[in-house]
Amino acid sequence: MEQDWYKIITPDKKDLSAKGYLQQLIKIEKRVFPKHESMASVFESELQKRNTCVALALVNSTDVIGYILWTRERSEGKIIKLCVAPEYQKRGVGGDLLDTVRALGCLGALRSQQGVPSACERVMLQVDPKREVAVKLYASRGFSQLRLVADYYCKGRDAMVAELIVGKRGGP
């Protein structure tokens, strides 16, 4: 996906370090999230997991301004992290990253044991309900709240569990 001033790519995971993307992801992560919510120390190990994928928003073809990290198991996808650098927030980058993931066939094309592409039925995520901009973004893309989990992030910081239904359940 390409906008006038930035583009979104889904790089091969092995290129993340070689092209300097991983270091940029970690810097943005540390700027946006408190230390106890940051994935900076586990990014490399998370990205080594087979079903973990990433999409990046770039300016100047090399500078990371945002990313989305997701995984998929069978018919369920999970957004692990969506992050946009503060100076680029509220400019459509986060929404475009979400749309990119959805356009990729709901969190990547996985194949069933018979080799047939399998449909993703739903996408899950957790978000701090106090992050109102993020909650509104997810709602604008069709996510609905399922429940609240008390003290998820730390004492006194809950998580809203949200779901997006993207396929038909009980289908062939």
Side-chain angles (χ1 to χ4, degrees):
M1 179 179 288
E2 192 160 345
Q3 302 297 327
D4 291 341
W5 59 278
Y6 70 94
K7 68 179 179 178
I8 295 179
I9 65 166
T10 52
D12 199 71
K13 289 193 285 187
K14 67 180 182 265
D15 290 339
L16 288 173
S17 289
K19 294 187 176 182
Y21 296 144
L22 182 60
Q23 294 75 14
Q24 293 180 62
L25 294 176
I26 291 169
K27 284 181 183 177
I28 294 171
E29 176 82 10
K30 288 180 176 180
R31 289 177 55 209
V32 173
F33 292 100
K35 188 174 184 173
H36 64 278
E37 287 180 38
S38 176
M39 290 183 59
S41 64
V42 296
F43 250 114
E44 284 188 87
S45 61
E46 187 66 36
L47 287 166
Q48 289 175 2
K49 295 177 182 175
R50 183 180 60 87
N51 290 341
T52 300
C53 302
V54 66
L56 309 175
L58 304 174
V59 293
N60 304 323
S61 298
T62 57
D63 299 328
V64 178
I65 61 169
Y67 62 90
I68 188 167
L69 191 65
W70 73 93
T71 188
R72 175 163 173 205
E73 286 292 332
R74 296 182 181 85
S75 63
E76 183 173 299
K78 181 175 183 186
I79 295 176
I80 299 168
K81 186 74 76 137
L82 172 62
C83 184
V84 177
E87 61 274 23
Y88 294 101
Q89 292 177 2
K90 298 183 183 178
R91 296 174 67 182
V93 177
D96 285 345
L97 285 163
L98 278 170
D99 293 345
T100 297
V101 170
R102 195 164 182 181
L104 289 172
C106 177
L107 307 167
L110 293 183
R111 298 195 176 273
S112 69
Q113 290 179 349
Q114 294 80 24
V116 178
S118 60
C120 185
E121 295 175 357
R122 70 183 190 156
V123 181
M124 304 294 295
L125 61 83
Q126 290 87 27
V127 62
D128 183 338
K130 293 179 182 174
R131 292 185 182 268
E132 294 175 5
V133 173
V135 171
K136 287 179 183 176
L137 170 63
Y138 294 130
S140 76
R141 294 310 195 268
F143 283 86
S144 57
Q145 179 179 333
L146 292 179
R147 65 186 171 281
L148 285 175
V149 179
D151 302 327
Y152 180 85
Y153 294 105
C154 66
K155 181 96 172 127
R157 296 226 21 241
D158 301 339
M160 178 183 87
V161 178
E163 171 188 60
L164 173 67
I165 301 297
V166 293
K168 294 182 181 178
R169 294 181 188 197

